[in-house]
Amino acid sequence: MDVIGPALAGFSVAFEPANLLYCLLGVTLGMLVGVLPGLGPAATIAVLLPITYTIEPASAIIMLAGIFYGAQYGGTITSVLLRLPGEASTVVTAIDGYQMARNGRAGAALGIAAIGSFIGGTVAILGLTFLAPLVAGAALSFGPPEYTALAVLGILLVTTLGGGSVRASLLAAAIGLLLATVGRDPIVATERFTFGSDELADGIDFVVVAMGLFGIGEILFNLEQHRGTNPKPPPIGRAWPSRQDWRDARAAVGRGSVVGFVLGVLPGGGATMSSLVAYAVEKRRAKDPSRFGKGAIEGVAGPETANNAAATSSFIPLLTLGIPANGTMAIMFGALLLHGITPGPLLIGQHPDVFWGVIDSMYVGNLLLLIMSVPLIGIFVRVLAVRTAILAPLTVLITMIGVYTVRMSVFDMLAVAVFGVLGYLMKKVGLEPGPLVLAFVLGTLLETSFRQSMRIFHGDLAGFAGRPISGVLLGAVVVIVVVAALRRRSHRKTVDNDVLAVPGPTKEP
């Protein structure tokens, strides 16, 4: 398959003045969103979805993608300066980054994070350029059974490999699948769970779910979490790493690029898991592991490189298979659908301008992030002084206006409020909204392809195992379930042994 020609042609889309402007706007918003603890790229993209209706599809996706990978670096600023992760993927960075800041080396930490982010992102874009067409070509042989198995595998990976409790993630995914059944049956068009409501006859709109759970829900939760906090950042110091810093960190940057790219492709991997694994790798390979937690620059370089590489490589399953790898990619999936573009193996042939334009814009976006990272640090530090009590009402107002403009429906505004309360309650009890949104997005695909498969196989479930691709995918599902069960059993046994090993109270003589 010829990749070089179409990839070079994509730069004509990426370098259009309007697309350059949207790319700049996206990465700048992404950095700002990353700086503001709790908001997150998923919530921001969900809030901005209605605004993108009037924008060309390629421009809209370029901007939204810029928000996603730009937020990965923005979260580093608060992690290093305040030990307050702006993003979940920068939690590990706060360990050594904040210690470097306390030692007067905040600038070096932010500088090496910027360099690592640029290198990791660029490596992942190169992998995306050459690997995505191959994956899409192989996916052309997919039929309903293969898509059924792939949807099950995607949901299962996110719930078992993602953060948090597996049971909680499975429960959230089950709620998402249930919500996906509201509306008309995709095969026979009978109404289900509508309770006589005309507004629910066409199903629950994806924008409503996304803006409620990630927008209103996150705002409510973070208002409670950060109530009364107003931390002051330490001085930045020299805003660029020294040659010795680079010599100490370059191997970590290389390893982080590989770790991030590989884990980003896997559903359930993502930026957060990549940063955790990269930190563990660096600590294990270190000659003196005791330096970690006290300001080791490798503890910043490895995770920061990995989370940016993962943010980029997570576009591979989305664009080529139509399977979102995480909650934010589920929002991106919805954004593509709203513009009449169906992610999957046919995307390259049907919308080459969008596919290659978005990929090539990432080269530009990563370069812009590197150029802007150090000069804008001072501005973003000032943004931290704005109280959440001021920002939250403005965000809620923008969210409600945005959802109303989609269908001019007051019902949608009420639904957003309901999902906002649901999102808040889920966060309170430890249920992450990511698996719910992912299952909601994949629910229709899973149901339709499964029922079509049952017609093909005349109701025989063994037909899935008789097809090579679906059989392998379902085999992977079985392996994941068994491994997860064994890990849980091993963990329970370890906990029980630890409890038994605790000595009881002793009598005094």
Side-chain angles (χ1 to χ4, degrees):
M1 178 182 291
D2 181 25
V3 173
I4 303 298
L8 292 177
F11 281 106
S12 63
V13 177
F15 284 131
E16 289 180 6
N19 290 338
L20 286 174
L21 178 62
Y22 283 117
C23 183
L24 174 62
L25 179 62
V27 296
T28 306
L29 277 175
M31 289 183 68
L32 179 60
V33 165
V35 167
L36 298 174
L39 186 56
T44 305
I45 293 172
V47 170
L48 293 178
L49 280 180
I51 300 176
T52 65
Y53 285 170
T54 58
I55 304 174
E56 289 295 322
S59 302
I61 304 304
I62 285 172
M63 181 182 71
L64 297 179
I67 292 173
F68 179 44
Y69 57 81
Q72 306 306 318
Y73 181 73
T76 309
I77 298 174
T78 49
S79 293
V80 171
L81 298 181
L82 302 176
R83 204 175 188 179
L84 184 64
E87 284 301 305
S89 59
T90 60
V91 169
V92 178
T93 307
I95 300 174
D96 284 280
Y98 183 68
Q99 292 301 321
M100 290 182 68
R102 291 186 63 185
N103 297 333
R105 304 190 66 226
L110 293 171
I112 201 65
I115 295 173
S117 298
F118 173 75
I119 294 175
T122 303
V123 168
I125 298 167
L126 288 170
L128 177 61
T129 301
F130 291 97
L131 184 60
L134 297 177
V135 176
L140 288 174
S141 59
F142 277 31
E146 287 72 26
Y147 275 109
T148 302
L150 193 61
V152 172
L153 179 62
I155 295 173
L156 189 64
L157 281 172
V158 169
T159 53
T160 56
L161 297 182
S165 166
V166 174
R167 287 184 178 180
S169 297
L170 286 172
L171 177 59
I175 296 173
L177 290 174
L178 178 62
L179 292 173
T181 62
V182 175
R184 292 188 178 89
D185 185 289
I187 305 297
V188 297
T190 55
E191 292 188 3
R192 305 176 300 186
F193 306 114
T194 61
F195 306 102
S197 171
D198 293 336
E199 287 84 359
L200 292 176
D202 293 328
I204 302 174
D205 192 81
F206 170 78
V207 176
V208 170
V209 176
M211 295 178 78
L213 292 177
F214 287 102
I216 306 297
E218 290 287 339
I219 291 169
L220 294 175
F221 183 77
N222 287 294
L223 276 174
E224 182 183 61
Q225 293 295 310
H226 302 298
R227 182 174 51 194
T229 60
N230 190 25
K232 293 183 179 180
I236 295 176
R238 176 179 171 177
W240 205 249
S242 64
R243 290 185 178 179
Q244 184 60 45
D245 290 333
W246 170 244
R247 282 194 288 267
D248 293 339
R250 60 189 178 187
V253 169
R255 288 188 288 267
S257 299
V258 176
V259 169
F261 178 80
V262 173
L263 292 182
V265 173
L266 298 176
T272 302
M273 179 178 287
S274 300
S275 63
L276 292 170
V277 172
Y279 188 83
V281 169
E282 295 310 314
K283 190 172 183 179
R284 176 165 295 191
R285 290 184 60 89
K287 295 179 180 179
D288 182 14
S290 64
R291 293 188 305 108
F292 284 76
K294 300 176 182 178
I297 197 168
E298 303 96 307
V300 175
E304 283 301 306
T305 304
N307 65 29
N308 277 267
T312 301
S313 64
S314 61
F315 279 87
I316 292 179
L318 172 70
L319 297 178
T320 60
L321 300 175
I323 300 295
N326 49 60
T328 307
M329 286 295 101
I331 309 290
M332 294 292 297
F333 184 98
L336 286 163
L337 292 179
L338 290 173
H339 284 274
I341 299 172
T342 303
L346 299 179
L347 177 61
I348 297 179
Q350 294 177 346
H351 302 280
D353 57 328
V354 174
F355 182 85
W356 292 110
V358 170
I359 291 178
D360 291 341
S361 73
M362 293 180 182
Y363 291 104
V364 180
N366 269 275
L367 184 60
L368 289 173
L369 284 171
L370 180 64
I371 295 172
M372 295 189 305
S373 57
V374 176
L376 290 181
I377 288 174
I379 297 175
F380 288 135
V381 168
R382 292 191 179 187
V383 172
L384 292 172
V386 180
R387 289 183 298 167
T388 308
I390 296 175
L391 291 173
L394 291 175
T395 307
V396 171
L397 177 63
I398 294 171
T399 301
M400 287 302 183
I401 293 174
V403 74
Y404 180 76
T405 58
V406 175
R407 298 193 298 184
M408 302 297 178
S409 171
V410 176
F411 178 84
D412 286 351
M413 297 176 68
L414 295 174
V416 165
V418 171
F419 279 107
V421 174
L422 175 62
Y424 166 75
L425 294 175
M426 288 178 66
K427 296 282 285 187
K428 287 284 290 183
V429 300
L431 289 174
E432 286 297 325
L436 187 155
V437 174
L438 182 74
F440 179 78
V441 168
L442 294 178
T444 303
L445 171 66
L446 177 60
E447 180 187 7
T448 304
S449 57
F450 175 75
R451 292 172 65 179
Q452 289 173 342
S453 300
M454 287 293 92
R455 292 190 176 190
I456 294 173
F457 301 141
H458 303 290
D460 185 7
L461 288 172
F464 287 99
R467 295 171 66 110
I469 298 177
S470 62
V472 170
L473 292 174
L474 289 177
V477 169
V478 173
V479 170
I480 291 169
V481 171
V482 172
V483 170
L486 292 175
R487 284 176 58 188
R488 182 175 178 82
R489 182 179 179 183
S490 175
H491 176 71
R492 184 182 299 172
K493 189 175 181 180
T494 302
V495 172
D496 291 342
N497 289 338
D498 290 342
V499 171
L500 292 174
V502 175
T506 56
K507 278 188 175 182
E508 294 185 7

